[in-house]
Amino acid sequence: MITRELPSLLFLIATAIASPSLAAEADKDPQMLRLLQEARALIDSRKAGSAIEKCEKVIAAFEASYSSRKEKIYCARSSTESLGYLLKAAATADKGSASKPGAIVLSSIWADAYFMKGYALQDLGRIAEAKASVNQALQFSPLSPQYLCELGEIYELEKNWPKAMQAFKEAEDSNGLAPDESRALELGQARRGIAYVLVELGKLDEAERKYQECLKSDPNDTRAKRELEYVRDLRRKQKR
């Protein structure tokens, strides 16, 4: 069974406020954060359609503010993630063209709007649209373990195990860029995603080791404990 996770409302507020930001229109408008808060509350109340409308208002405001910018735009939840994107942009820049646009890093609000829209679309069973929305979030934040895990879960719904595995492994690898407040949570989510795919592929020994990794880093991970027992039960049944 796939267990989906959405960050707490307080965590969304904290990361949006603390994230590095360009002093510009939509990214400094407090109404954008309020709309995301309202969208999250609507998702919790099983009103996915109304949540999507809130997210789309945020997206439209950011597009109006930044669609004419020539720089590559990233969104980040932490200063470490922000630096990672700026270094990535510098490494891929054309050294021979001094006039080539650079990159700017906004807070995570724009990308979060796409992420939350994708989450709500999943609740409505609109999986293809959900995947497109999460992929758009990843265009702004390609190293976000949170968004990568969400993409992995969509691939699980599609039973696309290779793509799901890739997304969860990338989430695990980029976990060091997550904010301190959510790093452990997102690492567990990525590792449980990997283990889930391994179970579906019949690789129970590898899945057991991955769940054990979860418990080594977080002994209170109740989901990993439960899923580890499920794997061990499967193995016992296979030996009968």
Side-chain angles (χ1 to χ4, degrees), residues 28-235:
K28 283 293 188 178
D29 183 352
Q31 177 65 13
M32 299 299 100
L33 183 55
R34 284 196 291 271
L35 285 167
L36 278 189
Q37 294 170 22
E38 292 167 5
R40 169 61 201 261
L42 287 164
I43 289 172
D44 288 345
S45 301
R46 307 283 186 183
K47 298 176 180 177
S50 297
I52 290 169
E53 291 177 8
K54 300 284 185 181
C55 292
E56 287 177 340
K57 287 182 180 179
V58 175
I59 292 166
F62 272 84
E63 287 178 346
S65 291
Y66 302 105
S67 61
S68 63
R69 298 293 295 250
K70 294 187 176 2
E71 304 98 327
K72 169 66 176 175
I73 297 176
Y74 291 103
C75 296
R77 295 182 294 160
S78 70
S79 57
T80 305
E81 185 181 5
S82 177
L83 179 59
Y85 294 143
L86 292 174
L87 291 173
K88 176 183 174 69
T92 57
D94 181 3
K95 306 284 192 215
S97 176
S99 62
K100 184 165 183 172
I104 60 173
V105 182
L106 307 179
S107 75
S108 65
I109 294 175
W110 195 358
D112 279 341
Y114 277 110
F115 165 72
M116 293 182 69
K117 179 182 176 182
Y119 195 99
L121 285 164
Q122 278 197 70
D123 283 351
L124 295 175
R126 293 157 62 180
I127 304 304
E129 293 172 77
K131 182 164 65 174
S133 192
V134 174
N135 273 318
Q136 183 60 60
L138 283 163
Q139 288 293 312
F140 291 118
S141 306
L143 300 177
S144 169
Q146 183 184 53
Y147 304 162
L148 287 164
C149 282
E150 186 71 4
L151 182 62
E153 290 175 2
I154 292 173
Y155 282 129
E156 285 181 343
L157 292 173
E158 296 178 336
K159 300 191 182 302
N160 188 336
W161 309 124
K163 288 285 191 181
M165 180 66 79
Q166 179 183 349
F168 286 124
K169 283 186 174 180
E170 288 179 5
E172 183 182 33
D173 291 343
S174 62
N175 183 257
L177 300 180
D180 293 342
E181 300 89 341
S182 69
R183 190 172 299 143
L185 176 69
E186 291 174 22
L187 180 60
Q189 187 179 3
R191 286 176 171 172
R192 287 194 305 273
I194 292 170
Y196 181 93
V197 173
L198 289 168
V199 172
E200 292 297 320
L201 295 174
K203 299 179 179 181
L204 300 185
D205 290 344
E206 293 179 50
E208 181 173 0
R209 287 194 292 271
K210 205 65 188 179
Y211 283 129
Q212 288 171 337
E213 278 186 46
C214 293
L215 294 172
K216 184 176 180 180
S217 59
D218 180 7
N220 297 317
D221 188 338
T222 56
R223 290 175 182 169
K225 288 179 183 178
R226 183 172 61 248
E227 291 163 12
L228 177 58
E229 286 306 309
Y230 172 74
V231 170
R232 288 173 173 169
D233 186 52
L234 280 179
R235 293 178 67 184

